[in-house]
Amino acid sequence: MASGPPRRPSGSPWAGRTGAAGQPPTRSPRPDRRAELRLYGVNAVQAVFARRPQAIRKLYLVQARIPQLQPLLKWCVDNRIGYRVVDEGELERLAGSAHHEGVVADVLRAEPTALQDWLRGVPAGGACALWLDGVGNPHNLGAILRSAAHFGVVAVLLPQRSGLAVSGAAARVAEGAAEAVPLVRIADDAAALAALRRAGFALAATVVRGGEDLFAVQLPRRLVYVLGAEGGGMDDALAAACDLRLSIPGTGAVESLNVAAAAAVLLAAWRMRVPAG
Protein backbone atom coordinates (compact mmCIF):
# COMPACT_ATOMS: atom_id res chain seq x y z
CA MET A 1 0.00 0.00 0.00
CA ALA A 2 1.35 3.43 -0.92
CA SER A 3 2.28 5.59 2.03
CA GLY A 4 0.32 8.76 2.61
CA PRO A 5 1.69 12.29 2.38
CA PRO A 6 3.52 13.84 5.35
CA ARG A 7 1.10 14.70 8.11
CA ARG A 8 1.29 16.84 11.23
CA PRO A 9 0.62 15.26 14.64
CA SER A 10 -3.01 14.82 15.69
CA GLY A 11 -4.58 18.08 16.83
CA SER A 12 -2.52 20.37 14.59
CA PRO A 13 -4.89 22.42 12.41
CA TRP A 14 -2.67 22.63 9.32
CA ALA A 15 -1.00 19.55 7.91
CA GLY A 16 2.25 19.87 5.97
CA ARG A 17 3.28 23.25 7.44
CA THR A 18 5.79 23.93 10.18
CA GLY A 19 7.59 26.92 11.61
CA ALA A 20 9.95 27.92 14.42
CA ALA A 21 9.20 26.18 17.73
CA GLY A 22 6.38 24.26 16.08
CA GLN A 23 4.48 27.44 15.22
CA PRO A 24 2.90 28.02 11.79
CA PRO A 25 5.20 29.98 9.45
CA THR A 26 4.66 33.67 8.88
CA ARG A 27 2.35 34.08 5.93
CA SER A 28 2.47 36.61 3.15
CA PRO A 29 -0.43 39.09 3.14
CA ARG A 30 -3.55 37.38 1.87
CA PRO A 31 -5.16 38.61 -1.35
CA ASP A 32 -8.53 40.30 -1.36
CA ARG A 33 -11.09 37.62 -0.46
CA ARG A 34 -13.14 38.72 -3.47
CA ALA A 35 -10.30 37.41 -5.63
CA GLU A 36 -10.77 33.93 -4.13
CA LEU A 37 -13.35 31.26 -4.86
CA ARG A 38 -14.32 28.34 -2.63
CA LEU A 39 -14.62 25.21 -4.73
CA TYR A 40 -15.99 21.84 -3.73
CA GLY A 41 -16.29 18.51 -5.49
CA VAL A 42 -13.49 16.20 -6.57
CA ASN A 43 -13.53 17.00 -10.30
CA ALA A 44 -13.75 20.76 -9.73
CA VAL A 45 -10.76 20.75 -7.39
CA GLN A 46 -8.73 18.30 -9.48
CA ALA A 47 -9.29 20.46 -12.58
CA VAL A 48 -7.73 23.48 -10.89
CA PHE A 49 -4.82 21.33 -9.73
CA ALA A 50 -4.30 20.08 -13.30
CA ARG A 51 -4.47 23.49 -15.00
CA ARG A 52 -3.68 26.16 -12.40
CA PRO A 53 -2.05 24.59 -9.33
CA GLN A 54 -0.53 27.93 -8.35
CA ALA A 55 -4.08 29.24 -7.80
CA ILE A 56 -4.68 26.89 -4.84
CA ARG A 57 -4.56 28.71 -1.51
CA LYS A 58 -5.98 26.22 1.00
CA LEU A 59 -7.37 22.70 1.00
CA TYR A 60 -9.78 20.84 3.26
CA LEU A 61 -10.61 17.15 2.92
CA VAL A 62 -12.00 14.16 4.77
CA GLN A 63 -9.73 11.27 5.75
CA ALA A 64 -11.21 8.96 3.12
CA ARG A 65 -10.04 11.23 0.27
CA ILE A 66 -6.34 11.12 1.23
CA PRO A 67 -5.40 8.15 -1.00
CA GLN A 68 -7.12 9.60 -4.07
CA LEU A 69 -5.70 13.10 -3.57
CA GLN A 70 -2.10 12.17 -2.68
CA PRO A 71 -0.54 13.98 -5.69
CA LEU A 72 -2.40 17.17 -4.73
CA LEU A 73 -1.44 16.82 -1.06
CA LYS A 74 2.21 16.25 -1.95
CA TRP A 75 2.11 19.38 -4.10
CA CYS A 76 0.64 21.31 -1.18
CA VAL A 77 3.43 20.13 1.14
CA ASP A 78 6.14 20.93 -1.42
CA ASN A 79 4.71 24.41 -1.99
CA ARG A 80 3.82 25.21 1.63
CA ILE A 81 0.08 25.32 0.95
CA GLY A 82 -1.95 24.46 4.02
CA TYR A 83 -4.29 21.50 4.01
CA ARG A 84 -6.53 20.28 6.79
CA VAL A 85 -8.22 16.93 7.40
CA VAL A 86 -11.72 17.58 8.77
CA ASP A 87 -14.93 15.65 9.37
CA GLU A 88 -18.00 15.59 7.11
CA GLY A 89 -19.86 18.17 9.18
CA GLU A 90 -17.04 20.71 9.01
CA LEU A 91 -16.65 20.19 5.28
CA GLU A 92 -20.38 20.72 4.74
CA ARG A 93 -20.15 23.96 6.72
CA LEU A 94 -17.16 25.14 4.69
CA ALA A 95 -18.77 24.29 1.35
CA GLY A 96 -22.24 25.50 2.30
CA SER A 97 -23.46 22.34 0.62
CA ALA A 98 -23.84 18.64 1.32
CA HIS A 99 -22.52 17.94 -2.21
CA HIS A 100 -18.86 18.56 -1.39
CA GLU A 101 -17.68 15.00 -2.27
CA GLY A 102 -15.13 15.09 0.52
CA VAL A 103 -12.96 18.01 -0.58
CA VAL A 104 -13.05 21.82 -0.51
CA ALA A 105 -10.43 24.26 -1.83
CA ASP A 106 -9.94 28.01 -1.69
CA VAL A 107 -8.48 29.11 -5.02
CA LEU A 108 -7.77 32.35 -6.86
CA ARG A 109 -10.43 33.21 -9.40
CA ALA A 110 -9.58 33.03 -13.09
CA GLU A 111 -10.65 36.41 -14.42
CA PRO A 112 -12.57 36.54 -17.72
CA THR A 113 -10.60 37.52 -20.82
CA ALA A 114 -11.39 40.68 -22.78
CA LEU A 115 -13.07 39.96 -26.12
CA GLN A 116 -10.35 41.45 -28.32
CA ASP A 117 -7.63 39.55 -26.45
CA TRP A 118 -9.54 36.31 -26.87
CA LEU A 119 -10.26 36.85 -30.56
CA ARG A 120 -6.55 37.22 -31.31
CA GLY A 121 -6.02 33.65 -30.17
CA VAL A 122 -8.99 31.93 -31.84
CA PRO A 123 -7.69 29.51 -34.48
CA ALA A 124 -8.97 29.51 -38.04
CA GLY A 125 -11.62 27.02 -39.12
CA GLY A 126 -14.78 25.78 -37.49
CA ALA A 127 -15.50 27.19 -34.05
CA CYS A 128 -18.53 27.61 -31.84
CA ALA A 129 -19.08 29.94 -28.87
CA LEU A 130 -21.96 30.73 -26.54
CA TRP A 131 -23.17 34.22 -25.62
CA LEU A 132 -25.20 34.18 -22.38
CA ASP A 133 -27.55 37.17 -22.22
CA GLY A 134 -29.10 37.38 -18.76
CA VAL A 135 -28.53 33.79 -17.68
CA GLY A 136 -28.12 33.95 -13.92
CA ASN A 137 -28.64 30.56 -12.30
CA PRO A 138 -25.27 29.08 -11.19
CA HIS A 139 -26.44 25.50 -11.72
CA ASN A 140 -27.44 26.35 -15.28
CA LEU A 141 -24.06 27.99 -15.84
CA GLY A 142 -22.31 24.88 -14.56
CA ALA A 143 -24.36 22.60 -16.81
CA ILE A 144 -23.74 24.88 -19.79
CA LEU A 145 -19.99 24.83 -19.14
CA ARG A 146 -20.03 21.04 -18.93
CA SER A 147 -21.78 20.75 -22.31
CA ALA A 148 -19.48 23.43 -23.74
CA ALA A 149 -16.39 21.46 -22.75
CA HIS A 150 -17.85 18.22 -24.08
CA PHE A 151 -18.59 19.70 -27.51
CA GLY A 152 -15.41 21.78 -27.82
CA VAL A 153 -16.85 25.27 -27.45
CA VAL A 154 -14.10 27.88 -27.77
CA ALA A 155 -15.56 30.34 -25.22
CA VAL A 156 -18.55 31.45 -23.21
CA LEU A 157 -19.19 35.17 -23.68
CA LEU A 158 -20.62 37.24 -20.82
CA PRO A 159 -21.92 40.82 -21.20
CA GLN A 160 -20.37 43.42 -18.89
CA ARG A 161 -23.79 44.09 -17.34
CA SER A 162 -24.08 40.46 -16.31
CA GLY A 163 -23.14 39.55 -12.77
CA LEU A 164 -22.69 35.94 -13.80
CA ALA A 165 -19.43 34.35 -12.68
CA VAL A 166 -18.18 30.92 -11.73
CA SER A 167 -19.25 30.04 -8.17
CA GLY A 168 -18.64 26.97 -6.08
CA ALA A 169 -22.03 25.60 -7.10
CA ALA A 170 -21.43 26.28 -10.79
CA ALA A 171 -17.98 24.69 -10.70
CA ARG A 172 -19.27 21.55 -8.99
CA VAL A 173 -22.03 21.08 -11.57
CA ALA A 174 -19.51 21.76 -14.35
CA GLU A 175 -17.41 18.77 -13.12
CA GLY A 176 -14.10 20.37 -14.09
CA ALA A 177 -15.33 22.20 -17.20
CA ALA A 178 -15.06 25.60 -15.50
CA GLU A 179 -11.29 25.29 -16.01
CA ALA A 180 -11.58 24.03 -19.60
CA VAL A 181 -13.79 26.67 -21.25
CA PRO A 182 -12.59 30.31 -21.39
CA LEU A 183 -14.94 32.99 -20.09
CA VAL A 184 -14.84 36.18 -22.16
CA ARG A 185 -16.20 39.54 -21.00
CA ILE A 186 -18.10 41.73 -23.48
CA ALA A 187 -17.89 45.46 -22.77
CA ASP A 188 -20.34 46.63 -25.45
CA ASP A 189 -22.84 44.57 -27.41
CA ALA A 190 -22.63 46.48 -30.69
CA ALA A 191 -18.83 46.54 -30.68
CA ALA A 192 -18.76 42.84 -29.83
CA LEU A 193 -21.11 41.97 -32.70
CA ALA A 194 -18.89 43.86 -35.13
CA ALA A 195 -15.69 42.29 -33.80
CA LEU A 196 -17.11 38.77 -33.93
CA ARG A 197 -18.28 39.27 -37.52
CA ARG A 198 -14.85 40.55 -38.52
CA ALA A 199 -13.45 37.33 -37.11
CA GLY A 200 -15.81 35.35 -39.35
CA PHE A 201 -18.48 34.44 -36.80
CA ALA A 202 -22.20 34.51 -37.54
CA LEU A 203 -24.53 35.09 -34.58
CA ALA A 204 -27.68 33.07 -34.00
CA ALA A 205 -30.39 34.20 -31.61
CA THR A 206 -32.03 31.15 -30.03
CA VAL A 207 -35.75 31.74 -29.58
CA VAL A 208 -38.60 29.61 -28.26
CA ARG A 209 -40.73 30.10 -31.37
CA GLY A 210 -40.57 31.83 -34.73
CA GLY A 211 -37.03 30.84 -35.60
CA GLU A 212 -35.73 28.53 -38.31
CA ASP A 213 -35.72 24.83 -37.46
CA LEU A 214 -32.35 24.06 -35.86
CA PHE A 215 -32.30 20.60 -37.44
CA ALA A 216 -33.10 21.79 -40.98
CA VAL A 217 -31.03 24.97 -41.37
CA GLN A 218 -27.43 25.04 -42.63
CA LEU A 219 -25.27 26.12 -39.70
CA PRO A 220 -22.21 28.36 -40.25
CA ARG A 221 -18.80 26.87 -39.53
CA ARG A 222 -18.00 29.77 -37.19
CA LEU A 223 -21.02 30.39 -35.02
CA VAL A 224 -21.99 32.13 -31.80
CA TYR A 225 -25.24 30.93 -30.25
CA VAL A 226 -26.92 33.69 -28.21
CA LEU A 227 -28.98 32.29 -25.33
CA GLY A 228 -31.39 34.34 -23.25
CA ALA A 229 -32.32 34.38 -19.59
CA GLU A 230 -34.20 31.49 -18.05
CA GLY A 231 -37.39 33.51 -17.65
CA GLY A 232 -37.48 36.62 -19.82
CA GLY A 233 -35.44 35.51 -22.81
CA MET A 234 -32.76 37.62 -24.44
CA ASP A 235 -32.73 41.34 -25.07
CA ASP A 236 -34.96 42.17 -28.06
CA ALA A 237 -32.41 44.51 -29.62
CA LEU A 238 -29.69 41.89 -29.36
CA ALA A 239 -31.92 39.23 -30.92
CA ALA A 240 -32.77 41.58 -33.79
CA ALA A 241 -29.08 42.30 -34.42
CA CYS A 242 -28.21 38.61 -34.89
CA ASP A 243 -27.77 37.03 -38.30
CA LEU A 244 -30.02 34.02 -37.63
CA ARG A 245 -32.98 33.15 -35.43
CA LEU A 246 -33.11 29.48 -34.48
CA SER A 247 -35.68 27.40 -32.62
CA ILE A 248 -35.49 23.83 -31.33
CA PRO A 249 -38.56 21.94 -32.61
CA GLY A 250 -40.47 19.77 -30.15
CA THR A 251 -43.86 18.30 -29.35
CA GLY A 252 -45.28 21.42 -27.74
CA ALA A 253 -46.05 19.47 -24.56
CA VAL A 254 -43.88 22.01 -22.70
CA GLU A 255 -43.23 25.63 -23.63
CA SER A 256 -39.46 25.29 -23.95
CA LEU A 257 -36.32 23.60 -22.72
CA ASN A 258 -34.33 24.76 -19.74
CA VAL A 259 -31.50 27.00 -20.99
CA ALA A 260 -28.82 24.45 -20.07
CA ALA A 261 -30.67 21.64 -21.84
CA ALA A 262 -31.21 23.89 -24.86
CA ALA A 263 -27.48 24.70 -24.97
CA ALA A 264 -26.63 20.99 -25.10
CA VAL A 265 -29.05 20.41 -27.99
CA LEU A 266 -27.75 23.43 -29.90
CA LEU A 267 -24.14 22.38 -29.48
CA ALA A 268 -24.82 18.79 -30.50
CA ALA A 269 -26.54 20.01 -33.66
CA TRP A 270 -23.57 22.19 -34.57
CA ARG A 271 -21.01 19.50 -33.80
CA MET A 272 -22.88 16.88 -35.85
CA ARG A 273 -22.94 18.99 -39.01
CA VAL A 274 -19.92 21.27 -38.61
CA PRO A 275 -16.94 19.42 -37.12
CA ALA A 276 -14.47 21.82 -35.53
CA GLY A 277 -11.17 22.54 -37.20
Side-chain angles (χ1 to χ4, degrees), residues 8-36:
R8 293 291 304 277
S10 177
S12 177
W14 292 104
R17 304 191 68 169
T18 59
Q23 298 300 311
T26 302
R27 301 181 189 178
S28 300
R30 290 182 62 81
D32 187 334
R33 294 293 295 180
R34 291 171 297 182
E36 290 188 3

Side-chain angles (χ1 to χ4, degrees), residues 129-161:
L130 298 174
W131 179 324
L132 305 185
D133 183 57
V135 176
N137 183 290
H139 294 92
N140 280 338
L141 174 60
I144 288 169
L145 288 170
R146 187 171 181 176
S147 294
H150 180 77
F151 289 110
V153 164
V154 290
V156 169
L157 313 181
L158 303 173
Q160 193 69 41
R161 62 183 176 276

Side-chain angles (χ1 to χ4, degrees), residues 15-264:
R17 304 191 68 169
T18 59
Q23 298 300 311
T26 302
R27 301 181 189 178
S28 300
R30 290 182 62 81
D32 187 334
R33 294 293 295 180
R34 291 171 297 182
E36 290 188 3
L37 172 65
R38 177 156 288 175
L39 296 181
Y40 53 93
V42 173
N43 287 337
V45 172
Q46 291 277 54
V48 174
F49 177 48
R51 293 174 179 268
R52 303 188 293 130
Q54 73 283 355
I56 299 171
R57 289 294 176 265
K58 196 176 293 183
L59 186 71
Y60 309 85
L61 71 162
V62 296
Q63 185 80 25
R65 285 295 183 193
I66 289 177
Q68 181 182 7
L69 298 178
Q70 278 197 20
L72 171 55
L73 296 177
K74 182 180 185 302
W75 187 90
C76 287
V77 171
D78 292 344
N79 291 274
R80 301 176 65 79
I81 300 297
Y83 73 84
R84 185 177 179 185
V85 179
V86 300
D87 60 27
E88 290 276 351
E90 177 69 2
L91 211 58
E92 184 170 339
R93 185 191 69 77
L94 289 164
S97 170
H99 305 293
H100 50 69
E101 299 178 353
V103 61
V104 170
D106 291 335
V107 306
L108 293 178
R109 290 182 179 275
E111 292 300 321
T113 304
L115 179 65
Q116 292 294 348
D117 292 339
W118 170 73
L119 281 173
R120 282 193 285 271
V122 177
C128 186
L130 298 174
W131 179 324
L132 305 185
D133 183 57
V135 176
N137 183 290
H139 294 92
N140 280 338
L141 174 60
I144 288 169
L145 288 170
R146 187 171 181 176
S147 294
H150 180 77
F151 289 110
V153 164
V154 290
V156 169
L157 313 181
L158 303 173
Q160 193 69 41
R161 62 183 176 276
S162 170
L164 193 63
V166 172
S167 64
R172 185 193 67 79
V173 174
E175 294 285 359
E179 294 295 320
V181 181
L183 296 182
V184 175
R185 188 64 72 182
I186 296 170
D188 177 82
D189 287 2
L193 288 165
L196 287 164
R197 287 187 176 116
R198 285 195 299 271
F201 285 95
L203 291 102
T206 58
V207 295
V208 173
R209 61 185 63 85
E212 295 184 81
D213 184 334
L214 171 68
F215 304 126
V217 70
Q218 177 65 45
L219 295 175
R221 285 183 56 78
R222 290 169 76 81
L223 177 64
V224 177
Y225 284 121
V226 184
L227 289 86
E230 292 88 346
M234 76 183 67
D235 179 79
D236 290 340
L238 177 59
C242 289
D243 305 298
L244 303 168
R245 293 172 66 89
L246 299 176
S247 297
I248 300 172
T251 64
V254 294
E255 181 182 8
S256 64
L257 291 172
N258 163 277
V259 66

